[in-house]
Amino acid sequence: MGTYLARRLLLGLLTLVAITFIVYGLARNMPGTPLTVQLGESDPSRKLNPEDQERMQRIYGLDRPWPEGYVRWLGNVLRGDLGRSLSRKQPVTTLIRERIGPTLLVSGTAFLLAWTLAIPLGLFASARSGRPEERALSLLLYVLYSFPTFVAALFLQIIFAVRLQGTAWGLPLFGMTDLPPDAGTAARALDVARHAVLPIVCQTYVSLAYDSRFIKANMEEAVRQDYIRTARAKGAGPARVLVHHAFRNTLIPLVTLLGLSLPGLIGGSVIIEQIFTWPGMGRLFFESIRERDYPTIMGLTLLFSLLTLAGQLLADLLYCVVDPRVSVE
Amino acid sequence: MSETPSRGFWAEAWARLVRKPLAVGALCFVGLLAAVAVLAPAIAGTKPVLCRYKGRIYAPCLGYFHRSLEPAIFARDRFRGTYPQNLRDKDPESWAIWPLVFQDPYRAVRENEWPGRPANPAKGDGHPNRLNLFGTDQYGVDVFAKMVHGTTIALLVGVVSMGLAATIGILVGAAGGYFGGWVDMLSSRVTEVVMCVPPLVLILAFIAILEKPTIWHTMAILGATGWTGIARLTRGEFLRLRQSEFVMAARAAGAGPLRIILRHVLPNALAPVLVPVTFGIASAILAETSLSFLGFGPPPPSASWGSLLNDARSNLSMWWLVVFPGTAIFLTVLAYNLVGEGLQEATDPRLREARK
Amino acid sequence: MRTSRPVHRPWSLPSRPLVACAVACLAIVASACGRRAEEAATKPLPAAAGSGSQAATKAAAAKDQPPEPFDPPALADLEKSVTWIDRPVRDGMAILRAEQAKQPAAVPVAEALALENTSADRNRTILAALGRLPAEGAADMDARIDRHVTGDLGSTNPIMISTTAEFDILGLTGFGLFSFGRDLEPFASAETVATWQTSVDGLLDKVVLRDDLVWSDGAPITAHDVAFSYQLIMDPRVPVPAVRSGTDQMRWVHAYDDRTLVFFHKEPLATNVWNINFPVLPKHVYESTWEADPTLKDSAAHVKLEEAPVSGGPYEIVERKRGQQIVLRRRESWSRVGGKKVREEPFFREVRFRIIEDPNTSLLALKAGEIAEMVLTPEQWTTQTSGPDYYRANTRVTAPEWVSFHFAWNIDSPFFADRRVRRAMSYAFDHDRMLEKLCFGLYQPAAGNFPDDSWMASKKKLQPYKQDLDKAEALLDEAGWTDHDNDGVRDKEIDGRLVPFEFSVLVNQQPLRIAICTLLKENLEQVGVRVNVRPTEATVIQDLTQKRKFQAYFGGWGSGTDPDSTENIWATGAGRNFVNYSNPEVDRLYVEGRRELDRGKRAEKYGRIQEILYDDQPYTWLYWRNSFYGFSKSLRGYVFSPRGPYHYSPGFSSLWMPRQE
């Protein structure tokens, strides 16, 4: 186990270098630089001298070839410095720190909520497979799935933030909080929670159909195994059969899926964050690409990649825990 | 014990599939969509399906598939894209077979383009009427025509991206899970690298660099980056299954690894993999919609269902922009998933046992 | 039955110590590179190593120096030798009041509020009634307003202004000496300036500041702050490219004492009056910190300043939640200095800028009363702001704005080098359809680069183009583009190859612009020309247009305050001349226009420029965009200029809310 972990960590490092190299190359070679964003003004009285442009390029370090830029970035990272955002003028670590909390609040809660609902739904669906109530449930979940988030978000906003405004059911339209910084902690926590409801709902309903169907499919496969017949023959009740015997054997794909979802938690959803003006990581990433803010792009890529690799390693280790037939070799 | 020889795994699966009414219904719906996609110019368009002009027969409607397929004689004779009046004026002996609905998916029909018909209503006045079955969008373009011509995208978008993703994913995952050792190491690392490169960066880079980025480029990228989940799931299943008895038995019988993978392990590993694949095909439509929302949709003029939904956001009073494409997306998603469910039940070898 | 674990050979590593060494070496090398680059960035720049000829690098290095030291003459000498002309020092609000006093009485406010804005007449009525400044005591001086911006501030430093959000916000906290009114005529601001004089020969401007100006941290605002800001802006190490345009046309700015400033110009130009208007930073705050960190954003001191900047205007930033909102509060030290009231305080006690990117969400916020004003898109104006749910709490107004949009044709490409082809494009496009169907009849057609009602427009009253497909085809045939190979697409033999007439037009990812380009595509297909519409990110368009790597694009220009600013677009080789237009007569006219001080003669020159450009059609001018605003019914005092309701004097300061009874 020890050598396996050491090997995986080393390989993980090399993989990280490969990933960041590729992303840096892509970002630097895309047309547009942070300067073209700044200088893109529609007021013609803002003149552009070629000398000024060259000077700005030198200040930003854009005149050197990009592999050199990459090595410089890597050097800084190894010394713990993620650099400073070119467009926001703040250190990248500060940006990430500001945004990660709100993102986790929405995506973490949505994740828990989705799986808390999906597991019983999936079990129910596999138990009542083929019956009318299961068909109806499936249909409802598919309807939810086909509803694009931005349309749903708009409808929810109209219903809860406009029509029901002022009533007990009313919810804030956008943003994370309305209170000034000196309001009490409890009041602020409640305010943030109220603002988070709509984004969380939008992020939850999408995954409901997929997650519950996933569980159902795996359960149906597990239920047909011989040991289930044995368990039933032994007299075990249907609930025990379902949960204790069948469900546990669907854990490998489930663990895989959970491991794959981990980076998504930090990534956030660009669309939801844009509509609700939620200060999250998804929007940060999208904007930093649009602004060609290389330090932020690289910082975020590094973070996501680290989490992804960690998630994979965790999933691999959990395989062994969950299924004794699997070993780390 | 019966003596009928087995038909083979896939043939048996198909036979079981066609016995399920829902799955068959879904398959028929997909078939209907395919027919609509192929016959789109004949269903809705402003170019004749067939016409006789100056002694020869032409099919101008093919211009909807590719501009170069539109006969050049109409450009030379200054038709300027308007067929009904010009055909009659320039050749009194001409005849034409018109599409079922005279509307164009890319532009609003003008006044008297078809003699006697008013121009398409625009802004908020375009609710569904006799001439515009599904209404018009804010610029006056007919929604029915847009949906008919957008069916191609809706059908193929998922198949292209998911087909690519499934193929790569299953191959990589199966290789890693079955062989283990350094093959597994290598395939896992490749999977991780592809998993960590953000697809948004790739898509943006492609759109910026390519001269003529089309939706197919986008779908190819989504497919080339979206296989990682499938690979992991497949690998997990293969890890689990390579220790099973039937694999041992097959190996003892002398079967080579490829045969074992394809004939023995894969059918058993399909269940968890089919879910992301069938969802993925359907979700590709929604991905296209999201990309349109963020501004990276297909090059205009585009007639995709997703762009209709996008327009709907800024024009909520025009309910027909939401209802019709929304229903179509829902039905397509449903159809693909029902087929997937049917496939899953059909390919599960245990079902055979359950029936007996 | 449990199976025994199969034996697999573990993947073997090359010896681990070796790998560790390699990784360590990489790290050391990389960190060394990292450190070196940082040092390089902060030192004053020597001639860059590497690419480029010696001469080029020398020239670049020369431009990179701050202005040569200048020994200003003593003030006494100046007073003796120079004849000064008095220039206007005015108060924007007073000008507006005087103007409104002369207007006929408007309908009662209640009646205007009840109107739905469905016609030009009603629009005028609403603007006239609701745009009035308050009578004495009628304004609620304790009011708060929620304004809307679509993006966050990049920086709170006034010399880094580049986005509209920054203009809106930093316009309220910044300190300035000059401004201009609705007619875009410049004047010195009576709130900050005591006297302004220009020398007869046009080479000097003398400004005496008021003595009751205080920064938000209590230090007095002096002429030294202005001179210091000039030095900072002109220093090549400080990355402020946009603001420098204008200041680099001056020779020097000198503060003789705490109140007296003299601006030295290089030449007596009509545009000098705009060059003296630049943002001002507090010297006592930045003089000790800027040399250590000329980028003004990296050092700890500067980061703290970003969060809580020292403000010189009527408001100061009290709260800044990134990506969410920025709160400004009226500061005492603007209106009361030394215990006495020295200036009118602004109407609003607090101004909160709420950041909402998504236009649908912001419209909902306006309807719900969470914001009090926003810019409306044409679609929102047409379909979403006409029902009772909108008019319950809001009204809407529109006014012409000097922002125009066009198709730009790259004259260096083989397609558009010929003027006939460019005019054919303008004839082929269905302008009427665009104005009526796509712009919903809301915009004015554009005939040339100056607005019809501006002083610099051509007196010949140029007519906008109308679609004429026959003419377009005739012009294309004349230019040699005919269908040689009978495939339905025009082509021409260039350098021995048959080149089909197929080009790409770059456009921003906005629905209206994409729809207009799609209309162009449809029209041109009718005459045998193929177009690919390429919606791309704004940065990519900037990048490609700056590198001249395009065939056509859809763009727009806002109007600067002086027509000379358009020289940057049309002069040969100018920075924003992306289409590679070159006409020596136009170049000459611009230089003469700058030197000509008589307004009438200047107008003739710019009129002639417009006529020449209109003949040459380097752009196909499309329309002038109106500004469309939704305002809460509780707001009054909004008045529009060609630059919108805010970007002139008094601008936002004229808005107020009535006192509640």
Side-chain angles (χ1 to χ4, degrees):
Chain A
M1 180 59 76
T3 47
Y4 177 74
L5 269 179
R7 212 160 56 212
R8 281 297 291 268
L9 285 175
L10 189 61
L11 287 172
L13 278 174
L14 290 176
T15 318
L16 272 180
V17 171
I19 294 166
T20 47
F21 186 69
I22 293 174
V23 174
Y24 191 83
L26 269 178
R28 279 294 297 266
N29 285 305
M30 283 203 309
T33 66
L35 287 176
T36 48
V37 179
Q38 283 188 15
L39 305 176
E41 257 302 286
S42 64
D43 187 349
S45 53
R46 303 287 188 217
K47 298 196 190 189
L48 285 178
N49 297 326
E51 296 90 356
D52 275 339
Q53 278 186 281
E54 273 173 48
R55 192 176 32 83
M56 293 291 293
Q57 285 200 318
R58 248 170 292 156
I59 290 184
Y60 280 130
L62 295 176
D63 54 329
R64 301 291 172 79
W66 67 268
E68 190 182 323
Y70 175 72
V71 173
R72 217 181 313 145
W73 175 81
L74 192 62
N76 288 333
V77 166
L78 288 172
R79 284 182 299 138
D81 176 21
L82 279 181
R84 202 168 270 272
S85 161
L86 295 175
S87 38
R88 279 157 231 268
K89 326 274 195 278
Q90 277 181 301
V92 175
T93 38
T94 313
L95 282 178
I96 293 182
R97 208 178 339 124
E98 280 175 4
R99 301 265 189 154
I100 208 169
T103 304
L104 278 179
L105 177 61
V106 169
S107 49
T109 319
F111 181 75
L112 286 173
L113 203 57
W115 280 106
T116 317
L117 289 174
I119 294 183
L121 281 177
L123 291 177
F124 172 78
S126 63
R128 302 260 186 280
S129 175
R131 308 252 192 89
E133 57 260 31
E134 188 267 322
R135 290 279 107 191
L137 179 67
S138 264
L139 208 67
L140 178 65
L141 288 177
Y142 285 137
V143 170
L144 281 181
Y145 183 75
S146 357
F147 224 81
T149 28
F150 53 87
V151 181
L154 193 56
F155 281 140
L156 283 174
Q157 277 181 320
I158 292 181
I159 296 176
F160 284 98
V162 180
R163 294 278 160 80
L164 292 176
Q165 243 227 349
T167 69
W169 288 104
L171 288 170
L173 182 61
F174 64 93
M176 196 166 88
T177 170
D178 287 325
L179 294 178
D182 50 352
T185 333
R188 294 192 67 210
L190 184 63
D191 190 44
V192 170
R194 284 186 72 230
H195 279 89
V197 170
L198 288 183
I200 291 178
V201 168
C202 284
Q203 202 148 343
T204 312
Y205 84 83
V206 179
S207 24
L208 268 185
Y210 184 87
D211 293 346
S212 60
R213 176 100 202 279
F214 188 82
I215 302 240
K216 172 175 180 250
N218 283 295
M219 285 296 297
E220 292 199 325
E221 219 248 300
V223 146
R224 318 235 187 263
Q225 306 294 329
D226 290 333
Y227 57 82
I228 297 295
R229 237 189 309 176
T230 316
R232 282 209 193 107
K234 268 176 31 182
R240 187 175 164 78
V241 164
L242 214 57
V243 177
H244 187 70
H245 292 282
F247 184 61
R248 284 172 64 186
N249 283 281
T250 67
L251 281 180
I252 282 200
L254 195 59
V255 160
T256 314
L257 198 61
L258 292 178
L260 289 171
S261 321
L262 190 64
L265 287 184
I266 308 288
S269 160
V270 181
I271 295 179
I272 292 179
E273 289 172 11
Q274 215 174 57
I275 297 179
F276 288 105
T277 317
W278 190 261
M281 302 275 275
R283 221 171 107 209
L284 179 65
F285 192 54
F286 185 60
E287 283 166 10
S288 62
I289 298 180
R290 228 175 27 192
E291 294 160 0
R292 304 291 191 268
D293 186 2
Y294 306 125
T296 314
I297 298 176
M298 294 308 295
L300 288 174
T301 307
L302 189 63
L303 182 63
F304 293 149
S305 311
L306 264 174
L307 285 171
T308 310
L309 296 181
Q312 296 314 302
L313 182 57
L314 205 63
D316 277 344
L317 290 176
L318 276 177
Y319 281 160
C320 307
V321 169
V322 147
D323 191 333
R325 291 174 293 182
V326 178
S327 73
V328 285
E329 302 299 323
Chain B
M1 220 155 54
S2 111
E3 286 289 346
T4 48
S6 101
R7 281 172 287 179
F9 175 75
W10 300 106
E12 283 223 27
W14 174 257
R16 273 206 297 278
L17 185 67
V18 297
R19 261 187 260 142
K20 296 178 185 316
L22 270 181
V24 171
L27 269 179
C28 287
F29 181 75
V30 175
L32 175 69
L33 284 185
V36 167
V38 167
L39 298 173
I43 301 177
T46 51
K47 307 189 211 275
V49 181
L50 272 181
C51 70
R52 184 197 168 90
Y53 179 70
K54 293 198 174 157
R56 298 187 56 185
I57 298 199
Y58 299 100
C61 72
L62 293 178
Y64 280 119
F65 288 128
H66 198 274
R67 275 184 313 216
S68 56
L69 293 176
E70 190 161 346
I73 185 167
F74 298 111
R76 267 206 309 280
D77 285 358
R78 305 266 163 116
F79 267 58
R80 306 224 172 113
T82 312
Y83 283 89
Q85 203 62 36
N86 278 312
L87 272 179
R88 219 168 301 168
D89 289 343
K90 300 203 163 120
D91 183 5
E93 288 171 36
S94 62
W95 53 259
I97 304 177
W98 296 99
L100 291 172
V101 173
F102 186 81
Q103 289 290 346
D104 199 285
Y106 303 125
R107 61 175 178 84
V109 168
R110 293 179 279 266
E111 173 111 24
N112 257 336
E113 198 174 325
W114 185 268
R117 271 208 206 162
N120 277 1
K123 297 196 230 172
D125 304 327
H127 25 251
N129 56 60
R130 194 176 50 90
L131 291 175
N132 304 105
L133 292 173
F134 286 171
T136 61
D137 71 8
Q138 74 269 39
Y139 297 134
V141 184
D142 183 64
V143 174
F144 178 73
K146 265 192 169 180
M147 289 197 54
V148 164
H149 284 257
T151 314
T152 329
I153 296 182
L155 263 195
L156 289 183
V157 118
V159 174
V160 166
S161 59
M162 260 306 131
L164 194 59
T167 316
I168 304 178
I170 292 181
L171 280 176
V172 172
Y178 185 76
F179 290 112
W182 66 267
V183 177
D184 187 23
M185 276 289 173
L186 191 63
S187 66
S188 290
R189 302 289 83 75
V190 169
T191 311
E192 280 168 7
V193 170
V194 176
M195 209 187 287
C196 294
V197 174
L200 204 55
V201 178
L202 275 176
I203 292 176
L204 276 167
F206 261 76
I207 291 184
I209 296 173
L210 286 173
E211 180 61 33
K212 287 195 233 172
T214 64
I215 192 171
W216 309 114
H217 293 106
T218 317
M219 286 303 143
I221 298 177
L222 285 182
T225 53
W227 56 264
T228 52
I230 296 177
R232 291 290 302 189
L233 283 170
T234 316
R235 174 177 172 268
E237 283 298 291
F238 270 73
L239 271 180
R240 182 175 64 86
L241 287 174
R242 73 177 176 187
Q243 320 284 12
S244 3
E245 297 89 356
F246 59 89
V247 172
M248 297 290 159
R251 229 183 280 149
L258 195 64
R259 189 178 166 83
I260 297 181
I261 291 179
L262 282 183
R263 274 206 75 182
H264 296 279
V265 187
L266 191 58
N268 286 285
L270 269 185
V273 176
L274 267 180
V275 177
V277 171
T278 50
F279 262 93
I281 296 182
S283 80
I285 304 179
L286 294 168
E288 189 261 317
T289 313
S290 304
L291 286 175
S292 299
F293 174 81
L294 292 175
F296 308 118
S302 78
S304 73
W305 301 351
S307 61
L308 278 169
L309 276 178
N310 222 359
D311 288 340
R313 279 200 77 222
S314 335
N315 296 286
L316 262 194
S317 54
M318 300 162 80
W319 54 266
W320 51 96
L321 290 177
V322 179
V323 168
F324 296 112
T327 316
I329 291 181
F330 161 61
L331 286 176
T332 314
V333 166
L334 189 62
Y336 277 131
N337 276 293
L338 283 177
V339 171
E341 274 185 20
L343 257 183
Q344 185 201 326
E345 287 176 27
T347 56
D348 195 331
R350 299 290 169 172
L351 270 180
R352 238 176 305 165
E353 309 266 329
R355 286 286 152 90
K356 284 205 188 130
Chain C
M1 188 172 74
R2 295 282 315 266
T3 52
S4 59
R5 290 185 189 176
V7 173
H8 289 275
R9 215 172 288 281
W11 180 71
S12 59
L13 263 175
S15 96
R16 240 175 288 157
L18 198 60
V19 175
C21 261
V23 173
C25 288
L26 184 65
I28 294 173
V29 167
S31 58
C33 290
R35 217 174 304 132
R36 260 214 303 281
E38 275 184 24
E39 287 164 13
T42 49
K43 272 214 284 272
L45 301 156
S51 59
S53 67
Q54 277 291 15
T57 43
K58 266 218 189 89
K63 262 278 190 159
D64 277 342
Q65 306 307 329
E68 274 167 33
F70 178 82
D71 206 9
L75 191 56
D77 296 336
L78 271 183
E79 294 295 346
K80 261 197 308 215
S81 54
V82 175
T83 321
W84 297 104
I85 309 176
D86 283 331
R87 300 297 297 278
V89 176
R90 311 175 70 184
D91 176 12
M93 287 285 270
I95 299 177
L96 190 59
R97 245 183 236 285
E99 197 186 308
Q100 288 188 342
K102 281 191 263 171
Q103 278 165 2
V107 305
V109 163
E111 192 182 316
L113 284 177
L115 273 183
E116 294 195 0
N117 190 336
T118 48
S119 70
D121 274 333
R122 290 192 174 190
N123 190 51
R124 257 193 301 271
T125 315
I126 295 177
L127 274 173
L130 298 178
R132 292 243 173 227
L133 289 174
E136 193 68 41
D140 180 3
M141 300 304 289
D142 224 23
R144 277 185 55 236
I145 181 174
D146 287 294
R147 291 185 58 186
H148 169 238
V149 283
T150 49
D152 199 355
L153 286 179
S155 163
T156 53
N157 192 324
I159 66 176
M160 307 280 197
I161 287 187
S162 58
T163 67
T164 330
E166 283 160 1
F167 267 111
D168 281 338
I169 298 173
L170 300 179
L172 295 177
T173 60
F175 174 81
L177 299 171
F178 296 94
S179 190
F180 51 90
R182 285 182 68 199
D183 49 4
L184 304 187
E185 291 300 325
F187 52 78
S189 172
E191 291 182 319
T192 54
V193 169
T195 67
W196 174 29
Q197 295 165 311
T198 309
S199 65
V200 158
D201 60 6
L203 288 172
L204 302 170
D205 273 289
K206 183 166 81 144
V207 170
V208 177
L209 270 63
R210 283 169 63 155
D211 60 357
D212 49 13
L213 294 163
V214 172
W215 293 103
S216 61
D217 65 351
I221 307 181
T222 66
H224 298 288
D225 292 312
V226 181
F228 169 77
S229 303
Y230 167 76
Q231 293 292 326
L232 201 60
I233 290 172
M234 290 306 295
D235 193 290
R237 287 168 286 173
V238 181
V240 280
V243 172
R244 189 185 308 251
S245 79
T247 46
D248 59 359
Q249 302 224 346
M250 290 190 289
R251 182 65 190 84
W252 195 253
V253 175
H254 189 75
Y256 281 96
D257 55 40
D258 278 355
R259 294 180 58 195
T260 316
L261 267 175
V262 175
F263 300 85
F264 295 86
H265 300 288
K266 293 181 186 162
E267 285 180 59
L269 302 175
T271 49
N272 284 341
V273 71
W274 301 110
N275 299 337
I276 52 183
N277 190 0
F278 51 86
V280 176
L281 287 180
K283 174 174 178 182
H284 66 284
V285 171
Y286 283 95
E287 64 181 336
S288 49
T289 60
W290 80 274
E291 292 225 62
D293 169 32
T295 63
L296 301 183
K297 60 178 169 76
D298 277 341
S299 66
H302 286 148
V303 168
K304 247 184 28 184
L305 280 169
E306 275 284 330
E307 292 306 310
V310 173
S311 125
Y315 288 92
E316 55 182 341
I317 296 181
V318 294
E319 188 195 318
R320 194 181 165 190
K321 234 180 271 170
R322 299 214 183 234
Q324 301 269 289
Q325 63 181 24
I326 296 148
V327 182
L328 272 57
R329 202 168 292 152
R330 180 171 65 201
R331 62 181 184 110
E332 275 281 330
S333 44
W334 168 259
S335 45
R336 301 191 76 83
V337 174
K340 290 190 318 216
K341 173 164 161 170
V342 294
R343 254 175 293 274
E344 289 299 324
E345 50 174 9
F347 293 123
F348 290 102
R349 179 176 54 86
E350 194 176 283
V351 180
R352 181 158 76 141
F353 287 89
R354 311 201 68 182
I355 300 172
I356 311 176
E357 260 182 55
D358 184 62
N360 287 292
T361 309
S362 47
L363 183 60
L364 285 178
L366 182 68
K367 288 186 186 175
E370 295 197 34
I371 54 177
E373 54 95 29
M374 72 173 266
V375 177
L376 298 169
T377 68
E379 270 166 0
Q380 288 171 332
W381 179 273
T382 320
T383 54
Q384 292 179 275
T385 51
S386 28
D389 62 325
Y390 178 76
Y391 279 106
R392 194 173 43 89
N394 299 296
T395 181
R396 60 183 203 175
V397 285
T398 174
E401 200 179 340
W402 286 0
V403 178
S404 72
F405 291 89
H406 51 261
F407 290 121
W409 314 110
N410 190 346
I411 298 179
D412 271 358
S413 76
F415 303 115
F416 302 115
D418 190 330
R419 191 170 72 154
R420 288 172 294 195
V421 174
R422 302 197 296 270
R423 298 174 76 184
M425 299 289 117
S426 303
Y427 276 119
F429 185 64
D430 194 347
H431 299 261
D432 287 336
R433 188 175 187 83
M434 169 194 71
L435 288 169
E436 200 190 302
K437 296 281 183 202
L438 301 182
C439 306
F440 306 124
L442 297 172
Y443 294 155
Q444 312 301 320
N449 61 325
F450 294 128
D452 291 338
D453 52 353
S454 66
W455 63 266
M456 54 259 196
S458 161
K459 302 290 175 286
K460 278 202 198 149
K461 293 289 170 233
L462 302 166
Q463 289 304 310
Y465 271 78
K466 295 224 181 282
Q467 187 185 44
D468 187 335
L469 288 176
D470 293 323
K471 223 181 214 166
E473 295 207 49
L475 280 167
L476 285 171
D477 288 334
E478 207 183 296
W481 291 97
T482 51
D483 190 1
H484 295 99
D485 53 2
N486 273 330
D487 61 350
V489 182
R490 290 177 185 273
D491 35 55
K492 187 173 174 183
E493 183 161 325
I494 299 177
D495 292 337
R497 263 177 50 243
L498 201 62
V499 176
F501 201 148
E502 181 169 346
F503 67 93
S504 300
V505 55
L506 300 172
V507 63
N508 232 322
Q509 283 152 342
Q510 283 176 32
L512 175 61
R513 301 185 186 197
I514 296 179
I516 294 176
C517 293
T518 312
L519 180 61
L520 176 72
K521 177 183 158 96
E522 184 195 321
N523 294 142
L524 284 178
E525 287 198 352
Q526 293 179 307
V527 296
V529 175
R530 296 273 184 260
V531 179
N532 297 316
V533 179
R534 274 187 72 185
T536 32
E537 299 172 83
T539 30
V540 176
I541 298 187
Q542 313 293 357
D543 190 74
L544 292 176
T545 49
Q546 279 169 33
K547 295 193 181 130
R548 278 54 171 185
K549 277 206 222 151
F550 66 96
Q551 290 151 339
Y553 75 92
F554 180 97
W557 292 117
S559 116
T561 45
D562 190 282
D564 182 63
S565 56
T566 56
E567 185 194 22
N568 206 10
I569 310 175
W570 299 115
T572 308
R576 292 194 191 260
N577 188 347
F578 302 136
V579 292
N580 301 306
Y581 179 73
S582 176
N583 187 323
E585 192 182 345
V586 168
D587 296 344
R588 186 180 51 82
L589 283 167
Y590 268 115
V591 175
E592 289 175 13
R594 255 203 302 282
R595 300 227 168 91
E596 179 61 62
L597 298 175
D598 172 62
R599 175 57 73 89
K601 296 214 189 86
R602 278 191 92 198
E604 268 172 35
K605 300 200 189 290
Y606 292 116
R608 182 84 197 100
I609 291 179
Q610 183 178 358
E611 286 156 26
I612 298 175
L613 290 174
Y614 199 61
D615 257 347
D616 284 340
Q617 289 283 306
Y619 288 173
T620 296
W621 282 276
L622 295 172
Y623 57 87
W624 293 98
R625 184 185 71 186
N626 273 28
S627 26
F628 299 99
Y629 275 82
F631 286 115
S632 156
K633 281 190 173 169
S634 61
L635 271 183
R636 309 269 184 280
Y638 31 88
V639 179
F640 283 79
S641 77
R643 287 172 63 106
Y646 302 131
H647 299 146
Y648 72 103
S649 178
F652 173 72
S653 309
S654 68
L655 268 72
W656 57 282
M657 282 186 187
R659 195 194 294 270
Q660 309 287 8
E661 298 312 319

